[in-house]
Amino acid sequence: MRFQNKVVIVTGAAGGIGGAISSRFAAEGAHVIVTDMNGEGAESTASQIRGEGGSARAVASDISNAEGCRAIIDDVIAHEGRIDVICNNAGINRRGNLLSLTPEDWRLSFAVNIDAMFHLCQAVLPHMIEAGGGAIVNTASQWGLYPAPNHIAYNVTKAAVASFTQNLARDYAPSNVRVNAVCPGEIHTPMLEAGVKRSGRTIADLDKLVPFGRIGKPEEVASLVAFLASEEAAFMCGSLVEITGAQAVA
Ligand SMILES: NC(=O)c1ccc[n+]([C@@H]2O[C@H](COP(=O)([O-])OP(=O)(O)OC[C@H]3O[C@@H](n4cnc5c(N)ncnc54)[C@H](O)[C@@H]3O)[C@@H](O)[C@H]2O)c1
């Protein structure tokens, strides 16, 4: 119960990795704000948590613009009055190389994958600093560190998430705000299923690319996120932690 009496915000929490992160924090005693542009999905994650005896509230918001980001933080401060942890997990993956990608997909990738972190953190940080500290865990990707082919917008925005994490960590460690990022490899979620379908491959094909012999599970990423947000990681700040089943070094 590492998060008893803590308020934790998780973005992109209608399912996939964000859903698993929400359940993990709730299982460890947190009150979780489950937020997503998919309001029905967010409500479903929150009610599943409550059904299992946990504490959660869904907030529907599109974070591809500054107003949508600020609305979440204003809402949480108005209702819960504090924010101990924020997991910036929402993301989109628009496939394409420089010549095939549209300017709209490029712009939306930046809006969701990195601009939202800027707006959310800008709204959250003053509350954490006033409270004497907090933890931020961002979801980057192994592709932000080692780019995969034909995903230039995704890879560039995830590289920006890595740098954003290091910059925020450097600037706010003196205020006791710890900022870290997870860099997952292939994880079995709706986003991955969609990508597999588009490319005409199967999950079994992906399993073979991972030295561990299988792709990862959302719960495995959630466990790392919870560790980074907990006091057990008290001296970790500015770390980009890979969770890839050794794919990143294959
Ligand atoms: N699945 C993987 O293999 C993998 C690998 C590395 C990194 N990641 C990252 O993990 C995170 C979660 O991915 P996932 O695989 O669970 O994907 P997912 O598509 O299952 O979940 C992403 C969630 O983000 C939400 N979202 C998208 N745009 C939004 C917006 N404008 N406003 C609010 N919510 C929005 C979606 O509704 C969705 O619920 C993403 O940042 C992704 O890039 C995933």
Side-chain angles (χ1 to χ4, degrees), residues 5 10 19 37 51 53 56 58 71-72 83 87 108 114 141 145 151 156 158 162 175 195 209 213 217 221 223 240 245:
N5 302 320
V10 184
M37 70 188 294
I72 297 169
I83 297 162
C87 301
L108 188 63
I114 181 69
S141 168
L145 307 176
H151 285 83
V156 170
K158 291 298 185 177
S175 304
L209 299 176
K217 302 173 193 163
V221 180
S223 145
L240 312 174

Side-chain angles (χ1 to χ4, degrees), residues 12 17 36-37 61-63 89 139-140 154 158 184-185 187 189-191:
I17 294 172
D36 203 291
M37 70 188 294
S61 191
D62 179 349
I63 60 166
N89 165 78
T139 306
Y154 186 76
K158 291 298 185 177
I187 309 295
T189 68
M191 178 189 278

